[in-house]
Amino acid sequence: MATNIVLLPGDGIGPEVTAVAKEVLVTVGRQYSLDLNLESHDIGGVAVDRHGVPLPDSTRRACEQADAVFLGAVGGPKWADVPVHNRPEQGLLGLRSALGVFANLRPVELHSELVDLSPLRPERLRGVDMVVVRELTGGIYFGAKKEGDDRAFDACEYTREEIERVTRVACHIAQERGGRLVSVDKANVLATSRLWRNTVSRVCRQEFPNVQLEHLLVDAAAMHLLSRPADFDVILTENMFGDILTDEASMLAGSLGLLPSASLAGLNGPGLYEPIHGSAPDIAGQNIANPVGAILSIAMMLRHSLAAPKPAAAIDQAVVSVLASGARTRDIAAPGEQGLDTDVFGAKVIEALSG
Ligand code: IPM
Ligand code: MG
């Protein structure tokens, strides 16, 4: 039976990086005889323009029936005046919620050939290899909101079950890696964080006694990510802290454009795959975006949703070899150098895969 994959190019640089990701997927599909059925749908601003809503029913249904979904990016200034509930970002949040993908895995890995990409000093970066597990369908993103001219609020709410299930995913990942888990919260101020801390502690103690757990407050974690990044193995955190810390962590690798992500309702199964970068409207349509985060998201898709670790490893390897050969898109090019176009960089990855 064919594997159904939905592509959601979205807005800004989304379509450009999706085109490269698709080509990579089709290439490994051919090489490894995967029976893939690809279809594209609208989400985000482009869906607002064409259908009047950021997550049309047809898109949601296709994604719910798919084995895996790839998303480029959503949002942009064009939709700044659209009513809040209809903003492009709501399409993505609605999709995450509809698919129940509560665990967002964001690996941050630094290959030794690539230390020069990061603004941090190389000696700080040696050995950086972590996975951030971000809770994705709860917290302040999904709480009650009120938006007035004089007063506004966003409620942050978590249930014990929501914390338990994402903790289990993080602990399983820690067990397969170095066995160390850092849970990030703001327990000195927030009630949700105190429930978070107590719940994570209990699940770890009762169900994963071999996982070594440490708690960090989010402000300290933001600092430790820069002062001792190589010490981290698995980081577990709630929705908004995870959003912020992974943008920070992307600079360890050198660029926001490099990092992939997988959003899952467990460790494996159907999932949503996206580069962690946004729609970057300032460079959209210029064919200069970095497609690496998108390409590596395809590798994660193969691993977690398609049970195809071999082509996944081949993609990872191809990306590393292309970067190691000195190929750079503009965001990571040396000062004064122009950098390769998105499609040219993509062609190099395809060539490395085929070679
Ligand atoms: C991300 C993005 C999204 C988020 C936006 C586009 C809603 O920043 O995936 O990190 O905040 O989750
Ligand atoms: Mg983000």
Side-chain angles (χ1 to χ4, degrees):
M1 220 173 68
T3 303
N4 285 318
I5 299 185
V6 169
L7 303 172
L8 306 173
D11 308 318
I13 59 170
E16 298 160 59
V17 299
T18 302
V20 175
K22 179 180 177 180
E23 215 178 322
V24 167
L25 181 58
V26 168
T27 301
V28 295
R30 215 182 300 121
Q31 288 174 330
Y32 291 83
S33 308
L34 307 173
D35 187 5
L36 305 177
N37 178 23
L38 273 51
E39 49 182 275
S40 294
H41 289 270
D42 292 332
I43 195 168
V46 72
V48 171
D49 291 347
R50 289 187 191 148
H51 312 264
V53 285
L55 179 61
D57 285 341
S58 51
T59 299
R60 186 179 39 74
R61 265 197 305 275
C63 293
E64 282 168 349
Q65 284 158 16
D67 296 291
V69 179
F70 175 90
L71 182 139
V74 294
K78 183 177 174 200
W79 302 279
D81 297 327
V82 170
V84 196
H85 66 277
N86 234 11
R87 305 255 326 232
E89 290 79 4
Q90 289 305 316
L92 174 55
L93 299 185
L95 181 62
R96 289 172 176 171
S97 191
L99 297 177
V101 287
F102 62 83
N104 180 221
L105 281 41
R106 298 188 161 186
V108 183
E109 205 180 332
L110 193 83
H111 298 279
S112 53
E113 302 93 328
L114 309 180
V115 285
D116 64 309
L117 295 186
S118 174
L120 264 75
R121 286 206 299 277
E123 62 271 23
R124 285 276 162 92
L125 293 167
R126 209 160 289 126
V128 166
D129 179 3
M130 70 181 88
V131 178
V132 179
V133 179
R134 168 189 175 193
E135 202 290 327
L136 201 63
T137 52
I140 199 164
Y141 274 57
F142 291 92
K145 290 179 196 303
K146 186 176 156 62
E147 199 155 354
D149 289 335
D150 302 316
R151 194 169 155 263
F153 69 75
D154 301 271
C156 183
E157 191 172 342
Y158 268 110
T159 66
R160 180 168 51 79
E161 286 82 3
E162 283 174 323
I163 303 167
E164 284 171 349
R165 64 187 183 179
V166 76
T167 301
R168 291 189 182 107
V169 170
C171 284
H172 278 293
I173 292 172
Q175 276 181 329
E176 285 164 21
R177 295 174 45 99
R180 288 176 293 117
L181 180 66
V182 172
S183 173
V184 174
D185 61 38
K186 188 71 183 175
N188 53 347
V189 177
L190 301 178
T192 41
S193 278
R194 288 187 284 272
L195 180 65
W196 183 276
R197 190 174 283 221
N198 290 337
T199 306
V200 172
S201 290
R202 185 176 39 75
V203 169
C204 280
R205 192 176 59 243
Q206 292 178 348
E207 301 175 32
F208 302 89
N210 50 351
V211 169
Q212 188 190 321
L213 172 67
E214 181 191 343
H215 297 283
L216 273 184
L217 296 172
V218 63
D219 47 354
M223 179 188 66
H224 289 280
L225 263 178
L226 299 183
S227 63
R228 54 175 188 102
D231 286 356
F232 292 98
D233 181 13
V234 179
I235 295 179
L236 166 64
T237 192
E238 62 93 67
N239 203 343
M240 188 162 73
F241 297 158
D243 178 45
I244 298 168
L245 291 178
T246 51
D247 266 30
E248 184 190 2
S250 76
M251 291 317 287
L252 300 170
S255 167
L256 192 55
L258 292 167
L259 294 200
S261 86
S263 304
L264 298 159
L267 275 176
N268 292 301
L272 171 63
Y273 297 84
E274 1 165 6
I276 81 158
H277 63 69
S279 60
D282 51 323
I283 59 161
Q286 297 178 44
N287 193 26
I288 58 173
N290 188 338
V292 168
I295 296 170
L296 295 178
S297 297
I298 294 293
M300 293 191 85
M301 174 192 286
L302 287 156
R303 214 169 257 126
H304 292 280
S305 291
L306 273 54
K310 277 208 186 109
I315 292 174
D316 287 344
Q317 187 50 48
V319 168
V320 171
S321 74
V322 168
L323 287 171
S325 77
R328 302 280 186 266
T329 43
R330 202 172 73 166
D331 54 320
I332 53 176
E337 270 178 35
Q338 206 193 341
L340 297 175
D341 284 350
T342 308
D343 57 356
V344 173
F345 188 95
K348 284 188 181 292
V349 174
I350 302 283
E351 196 184 299
L353 276 170
S354 312

